[in-house]
Amino acid sequence: MAAVRVEEVLAAAEEREAEKRRSVTVEKELELEFDLGNLLALDRNPPAAAGLRGAGPRREALLRALARDNTQLLVARLWELPAERAGGAGGPLVARLPEPAFRLPREKPPPRPRPPTRWEQFARLKGIRRRKRTSLVWDEQAKEWRRRWGYRRAGGDPARAWLAEVPAGADPQEDQFARLRREKRERVARNELNRLRNLARAHRAGTTVPAAPLHPTGHQSREELGHVTRVARVSTASLGRFQPRLPKEPAEPPSRSGGRKRRFEPLLGNLAAERSRQLELLRDMGSKKPVLDITRAVNKQLRQEEAEAAAAKGKKQSQRGKRGRRQQRPGRSSK
Amino acid sequence: MRPLTEAETRAVFEKLGRYIGENIQLLVDRPDGTYCFRLHRDRVYYLSEKLLKVAASVPRDNLVSLGTCFGKFTKTQKFRLSVTALDFLAPYAKYKVWVKPGSEQSFLYGNHVLKSGLGRITENTAQYQGVVVYSMADVPLGFGVAAKSTQECRKVDPMAIVVFHQADVGEYVRSEDTLT
């Protein structure tokens, strides 16, 4: 009894070990393509189509297993990369990734070329080229290399300058410190103004979209053609007021408010004018009514035939005598 | 309340013209006063200028009806003529249909006019022409659309429909609540 149980336990333990080991190795029909620079693994194996169709826990399980297997393969590849300890002996193990092979698309569109600023135009005209400045300047006072501007700049802190000489032609009563401060403020303001102007110029140049062509190109959509028709209608000396309508064009003229608000005639406006307008409308409607030639002709023909038939029958009856039935004609017309 | 736009006026005149033809002029241009059409809550009213001036002083929400209601515009902007216009259609009607006394009641209940109930019909009535229906005593009962032309009316069997019912004076009792 005990031996059987021990054997069972050993077999279960071995199975579990095998399971763990099995989970590390993954079998795939096609090898995956790796781009370790982007941490990318491409699996071109066709998935189990039957299991993935339709939502459900089975589909979830299949997808999860697929993701786990592919991640296992990727991580195994990453472990094969040359690694080193970052930050000395005790630091974390860091793998050195190769150059990315897969070109990812840009997240944002590339910057469009902006128009040159006024200075750039001038510089191009004069042939002035940009001279690269060194970031450090030798400070004679402190006898060391100091920044050109900023914290601990060469030439001392301007806020702590305790002496401001009065220049030769200046007013002796004027406050030089105030003048210096004011001039700096003005310089800053002018610089900012020019920067904004350049920005505005660039922005304006970028937003002028070329207008859609008004002549037929063969590539215009229905809306574009409608717009073009409207423009064409209005492009007369009277701004389209006396332009005749096309056969299927709607009778309502487009409102001046661009379709936003409907405007009606005043309630108690000129009633005589209203009446004359309505009479004109009636006249237009009456004149355009086509004469129903076909139906009238058909009816006329039918009446003629009936009259002839009646006449023939009448003759026959008079020939036969009074025996002929009198025909009842319901719905006899009369006006 | 507002005057009709051109499209609306055209729709109303077209509909009226189907029944009274060019006699609409007599409605628009009357010798005994200035009459006009006004639209209030999708219904078209025909009223004199005097009445219009008085009605203009009633608040919009409280105004129920004014003058004579000729009909209403449906949701899809189609004009539907109602029986309240009969008083103005009857004297100017171009095509008339007289109904026998036996089937008057049937028509007043909303049924179509059959050949067996047809008394007289104007000559030259085309098919689908708007007609005004009278009793044999020349009392206007309503209006409708001719289902058959006069010629066909003579030949068709007695149970066939000759006039489609559109409105009748029985509606004053039947649809008392909805008429304005």
Side-chain angles (χ1 to χ4, degrees), chain B residues 19 107 110-113 127-129 131 133 143-148 161-167:
Chain B
Y19 295 91
F107 182 72
N111 301 317
H112 304 302
V113 178
Q127 197 181 21
Y128 307 133
Q129 174 73 44
V131 293
V133 175
F143 52 86
V145 172
K148 306 261 187 281
I161 298 174
V162 291
V163 175
F164 292 125
H165 165 284
Q166 283 198 331

Side-chain angles (χ1 to χ4, degrees), chain A residues 251-253 262-269 271-272 274-275 277-279 281-282 284-285 288-289 292 295-296 298-300 302-303 306 329-335, chain B residues 1-3 5-10 13-14 17 24-25 28-30 33-34 36-38 49 52-53 56 115 119-126 149-151 154-155:
Chain A
E252 203 84 59
R262 286 187 72 181
R263 277 201 228 149
F264 302 113
E265 300 292 320
L267 178 62
L268 283 167
L271 287 174
E274 190 185 326
R275 191 165 55 184
R277 239 185 301 128
Q278 284 178 346
L279 287 172
L281 180 68
L282 280 172
D284 286 338
M285 281 168 58
K288 281 199 192 136
K289 218 174 265 189
L292 291 170
T295 44
R296 284 180 85 88
V298 163
N299 285 343
K300 218 174 182 178
L302 283 171
R303 253 181 304 157
E306 273 184 12
R329 291 275 186 117
R332 188 73 199 163
S333 61
S334 81
K335 223 184 174 171
Chain B
M1 189 183 8
R2 61 167 173 86
T5 63
E6 198 191 308
E8 288 165 353
T9 322
R10 194 180 285 269
F13 284 175
E14 264 174 28
I24 307 178
Q25 281 181 48
V28 173
D29 198 9
R30 275 167 75 139
T34 321
C36 57
F37 291 93
R38 285 293 180 268
E49 177 192 356
L52 175 64
K53 288 204 173 123
K115 169 76 187 298
R120 291 193 335 236
I121 184 166
T122 322
E123 184 73 52
N124 296 334
T125 314
S149 67
T150 317
Q151 301 293 324
R154 296 203 186 109
K155 297 178 186 161

Side-chain angles (χ1 to χ4, degrees), chain B residues 82-104:
Chain B
S82 75
V83 69
T84 42
L86 187 62
D87 288 334
F88 293 94
L89 294 182
Y92 303 119
K94 297 207 87 177
Y95 297 96
K96 306 180 186 178
V97 165
W98 285 261
V99 161
K100 286 187 190 153
S103 47
E104 253 176 44

Side-chain angles (χ1 to χ4, degrees), chain B residues 71-92:
Chain B
K72 67 178 207 175
F73 276 99
T74 62
K75 208 168 265 184
T76 53
Q77 300 308 315
K78 294 189 178 55
F79 183 65
R80 198 179 188 78
L81 209 57
S82 75
V83 69
T84 42
L86 187 62
D87 288 334
F88 293 94
L89 294 182
Y92 303 119

